[in-house]
Amino acid sequence: MNRNTQALVLLLALGAASSVRADKVISNGELYVDGRRVFVKTAVPLRNFASDDFRSRADILIGKGYNNFKLNLYWVDYDGDGDGALEPNALVMLNELIGHIRAQGAFCALSFETYNVGGGGVPAPFFTAHPEAQAVNQHGQLAYDTYYATNKAIPSIFHPAYLSASRAFIKNVVRGVDPAKVLYYETTVEPQYVGGDWLDFSNAARDAYQQYCAANGLTYSWPPSTSNLQWNIFRARALAEWIDGDAQAIREVAGPSALVAVDFLEAGYSTPNPVNGDNATFLGHLNGASILQCNWHWNPYTATPFETAYDLANSLQPTKHWAISEHMTLNGSDFRGDDISALLQHTLSRGNRFGWEIVNTLNNTNDSFSVYNDDWSPKSEIATLDNNHAYWMSLGHGGQAEPYVGEFVSQSYPSQMVSGATYPVSIELQNLGTVTWGAGTRLGTTEPMDRLSPFADGSWLGANRAASVAGPTAVGEVARFAFTMTAPTVTQPTTFVEHFGLVEDGVQWFSRPALAQLWFSIEVVPDQPDAGAPGPDAAGPLTPDAEGEVPDAETAGPDAAGVEPDAAGTEPDGSEFAEPDARAPSARDVGSRDGALARADAAIAGLGGDSGLEVASGSGCACGPQGAASPFSMVSLILAGLWFLRGRAPRRATHHPGRDRSAAAT
């Protein structure tokens, strides 16, 4: 991470640790610490912090720009017998880690894993002491988490022994950690009953339902049908009351202003549903959340935005006053690397002004859930955010997504043209803004802006507008700009660098890609070239194939980072930029060597033979018929040298700056 990024991290993290209790407030969906706005990039490393010394790895993650760590505390790791009392010295390593992280200028949040669905860590001895505290499914069987295949016993959220022991554990941890060093707390992961089964039909749930019906003048019958709406409304309200009770336990110790985050598990469930009974009822009765973390926010199967959780969270935000974020904004297994830019933009457009949460921030190449490889290099799911850290954090800190943003995907054009000939070209860009692209979204000339292009022809909208988008392009979709270019008249091989940018005509030029970032480098040769200046191909102008692509055209694909170099020609993480410098290639850079090689190719081909050269053996010289000296002897030797160099150093394809996935472009 370069100095600018480090400075941004320290600014967002608001300095070093302090023994003075920080003022932490959610206002208008934004987090403020001591009066300053903070946008968090939260690392969630799934480890046992009661026994694991994570300090050195925390330093690595801070170096990658994380300014907050959410530490998941599994009940069983700190209280082996499940009575709520902590083991001796259970919090020693946790406190050392928290102090170390705060000393580096980053924040800490504590998440309590006290349930047994999809994670959690209810100690097994708890169920030995309280077997009646296990939930029961619709078949009258003891409930286990078969939905997430953990097969852990599921506690009844209605049973007083479970509520008492789990909340005692929560309070004892909060007492043992300085609240001034905790940014916020989080209730158990993805609060729910369970998917696949209907809970809860235990005696404790029966008693609670009977009391609910009596208090609300409702008819009571037991057991209810799983489709009974009255019973499912009760289940949803009980789920909210459970989470509110855990939040109250936290605030009884940490103070009434302590911030509490809650996951909202919503995947398009109908009403009623086994997970939470009824989405709207659950969220409407949830009163203890300062931060609501939506899940799901992106459909992993269709790679498109998922709006249901955001819609409901935003509808209640004016009265609940919570910050809206995501549970697992990114993780190593549910999202595709190519979707991350659109995904992050979408979180901002749907009201996330709090920050992003990344799971699992460990370095394990073979673990699909981890976002880093063994050597801490980023996997594709995190590369976009890490490699463009300063850009994304500044965008997040701004509180809203930019409406007109594009991301380079690919381009196709011939690197050489013949004067007067017409060639098909195209550029593809992904819509990462907040508005749909339409007929007004156009590819305009830049360097300078709105210059008249010498390649403009009848396919162009104007000499400064190459094309408009092929069709309506929603956020996250890829747009294609296809047009033709007619090579200008030249008397000798001449290299042109054509720059383009995206513009919403009548509104603004796009903030990304930068106005000089899209370019074609094209050598134009005379329409009747001599042997020293042949055209690009013996067959004449290139023609598109069945899919509209140009054979042997210069092409470029996206990279995992989409990084623009700084003034020194380096990416924000300090690695060497793919090109020797950050500027567009000049005619001298691209035209001289490539043109020479092209001319050598044609001249060699004109001499005949498979290799284009015939060299006599024995005499040490090249000879023509009857041993006469060939008029091409010297030319052949020169061309042989060029052919050798061609084989040793193949032509470097002109590519889009910073877009090559490989370490070195060729």
Side-chain angles (χ1 to χ4, degrees):
M1 184 170 60
N2 63 22
R3 292 181 180 176
N4 291 335
T5 304
Q6 289 175 331
L8 178 61
V9 173
L10 293 176
L11 174 64
L12 296 177
L14 305 179
S18 171
S19 60
V20 179
R21 184 182 298 270
D23 179 28
K24 293 156 282 195
V25 176
I26 298 294
S27 176
N28 193 32
E30 300 173 346
L31 171 63
Y32 291 85
V33 180
D34 292 331
R36 293 185 178 182
R37 169 83 191 282
V38 176
F39 188 85
V40 293
K41 179 184 178 183
T42 300
V44 186
L46 302 180
R47 301 294 297 178
N48 176 358
F49 299 110
S51 60
D52 184 10
D53 186 354
F54 197 74
R55 287 175 294 182
S56 62
R57 281 170 286 183
D59 290 344
I60 293 173
L61 291 168
I62 291 171
K64 292 179 176 292
Y66 292 92
N67 60 0
N68 184 44
F69 288 76
K70 192 179 82 174
L71 308 177
N72 288 23
L73 309 182
Y74 298 89
W75 183 2
V76 67
D77 293 339
Y78 300 85
D79 169 23
D81 56 15
D83 62 358
L86 303 183
E87 303 295 333
N89 302 316
L91 299 180
V92 171
M93 295 198 73
L94 176 65
N95 275 311
E96 288 179 353
L97 176 61
I98 292 172
H100 180 80
I101 290 171
R102 291 295 293 122
Q104 309 307 310
F107 292 113
C108 286
L110 300 183
S111 176
F112 296 100
E113 296 270 9
T114 57
Y115 198 48
N116 260 1
V117 174
V122 181
F126 169 81
F127 292 105
T128 302
H130 305 281
E132 75 285 357
Q134 188 169 350
V136 175
N137 66 21
Q138 73 272 28
H139 306 296
Q141 302 166 334
L142 292 176
Y144 295 88
D145 181 13
T146 57
Y147 188 75
Y148 292 98
T150 69
N151 294 313
K152 294 179 179 179
I154 301 175
S156 170
I157 65 171
F158 300 95
H159 200 282
Y162 166 70
L163 296 176
S164 175
S166 61
R167 288 170 182 167
F169 161 69
I170 290 172
K171 291 179 182 180
N172 284 327
V173 171
V174 177
R175 287 191 188 99
V177 177
D178 183 358
K181 296 180 180 179
V182 179
L183 184 61
Y184 62 90
Y185 302 86
E186 182 181 88
T187 61
T188 197
V189 63
E190 297 181 8
Q192 60 181 296
Y193 289 97
V194 71
D197 275 337
W198 293 79
L199 306 182
D200 180 9
F201 289 86
S202 67
N203 290 339
R206 178 200 61 199
D207 294 345
Y209 182 53
Q210 187 174 20
Q211 294 171 12
Y212 168 79
C213 290
N216 291 278
L218 302 173
T219 301
Y220 166 78
S221 64
W222 190 264
S225 165
T226 58
S227 60
N228 184 300
L229 184 59
Q230 174 180 299
W231 181 64
N232 278 284
I233 295 298
F234 157 75
R235 293 173 67 239
R237 293 181 60 166
L239 196 67
E241 290 170 4
W242 168 45
I243 296 304
D244 283 345
D246 283 3
Q248 181 180 352
I250 292 169
R251 292 186 174 116
E252 284 179 8
V253 180
S257 63
L259 301 180
V260 177
V262 176
D263 291 344
F264 175 37
L265 183 59
E266 165 56 270
Y269 301 121
S270 59
T271 297
N273 69 76
V275 174
N276 59 26
D278 176 67
N279 300 314
T281 299
F282 166 67
L283 215 55
H285 283 79
L286 184 67
N287 298 312
S290 316
I291 304 143
L292 192 69
Q293 301 176 150
C294 296
N295 185 42
W296 291 88
H297 59 283
W298 188 266
N299 192 319
Y301 305 106
T302 62
T304 56
F306 191 82
E307 309 290 5
T308 309
Y310 285 127
D311 288 344
L312 192 51
N314 277 297
S315 71
L316 294 171
Q317 202 275 340
T319 56
K320 300 292 186 179
H321 306 295
W322 48 41
I324 295 174
S325 184
E326 299 82 35
H327 168 55
M328 297 192 295
T329 308
L330 299 175
N331 64 47
S333 62
D334 291 320
F335 310 110
R336 302 186 313 205
D338 291 344
D339 301 328
I340 302 306
S341 290
L343 182 157
L344 294 175
Q345 285 275 1
H346 183 253
T347 66
L348 300 177
S349 70
R350 292 313 317 268
N352 182 353
R353 297 190 290 273
F354 177 81
W356 295 308
E357 177 182 282
I358 294 87
V359 186
N360 176 18
T361 49
L362 294 178
N363 57 320
N364 190 330
T365 300
N366 296 323
D367 175 28
S368 63
F369 208 48
S370 298
V371 296
Y372 294 103
N373 292 306
D374 294 340
D375 62 358
W376 284 104
S377 61
K379 297 181 182 178
S380 63
E381 292 79 7
I382 192 62
T384 295
L385 178 54
D386 271 10
N387 293 342
N388 296 275
H389 173 84
Y391 166 78
W392 284 110
M393 291 300 285
S394 63
L395 186 60
H397 198 266
Q400 63 181 12
E402 298 176 69
Y404 297 103
V405 179
E407 178 81 1
F408 177 84
V409 175
S410 68
Q411 63 187 23
S412 178
Y413 69 94
S415 61
Q416 289 181 313
M417 296 183 181
V418 176
S419 289
T422 298
Y423 302 81
V425 299
S426 65
I427 295 179
E428 292 186 339
L429 299 117
Q430 186 180 23
N431 182 352
L432 298 185
T434 61
V435 297
T436 298
W437 295 353
T441 308
R442 297 173 175 178
L443 196 67
T445 56
T446 61
E447 298 295 290
M449 192 183 301
D450 284 326
R451 65 177 170 80
L452 304 182
S453 172
F455 291 86
D457 61 22
S459 73
W460 290 42
L461 303 174
N464 63 348
R465 293 290 184 272
S468 62
V469 67
T473 305
V475 174
E477 294 181 348
V478 174
R480 181 178 175 84
F481 296 83
F483 53 101
T484 61
M485 298 176 72
T486 299
T489 300
V490 297
T491 58
Q492 61 182 5
T494 305
T495 297
F496 295 81
V497 179
E498 282 288 291
H499 288 91
F500 300 96
L502 277 179
V503 59
E504 189 71 17
D505 266 340
V507 182
Q508 69 174 70
W509 287 85
F510 278 47
S511 58
R512 290 174 58 209
L515 296 183
Q517 195 176 17
L518 302 174
W519 48 264
F520 296 165
S521 180
I522 302 167
E523 182 185 52
V524 178
V525 298
D527 59 353
Q528 293 180 344
D530 56 26
D537 194 298
L542 299 172
T543 56
D545 58 20
E547 297 181 355
E549 297 297 330
V550 180
D552 299 321
E554 303 294 354
T555 60
D559 67 355
V563 183
E564 293 191 30
D566 59 20
T570 60
E571 297 177 359
D573 64 358
S575 61
E576 291 298 318
F577 194 50
E579 291 291 326
D581 56 28
R583 60 181 169 80
S586 67
R588 182 176 61 186
D589 293 331
V590 177
S592 59
R593 181 175 176 277
D594 286 1
L597 290 175
R599 289 190 289 274
D601 288 348
I604 291 170
L607 294 176
D610 293 337
S611 67
L613 291 172
E614 292 182 1
V615 180
S617 62
S619 64
C621 67
C623 300
Q626 289 90 37
S630 168
F632 299 109
S633 297
M634 186 59 68
V635 173
S636 298
L637 289 173
I638 293 172
L639 294 179
L642 287 173
W643 182 265
F644 174 78
L645 290 174
R646 184 187 189 280
R648 293 295 298 272
R651 178 181 305 192
R652 176 178 62 83
T654 303
H655 66 284
H656 194 281
R659 301 293 178 186
D660 197 335
R661 292 182 184 272
S662 62
T666 58

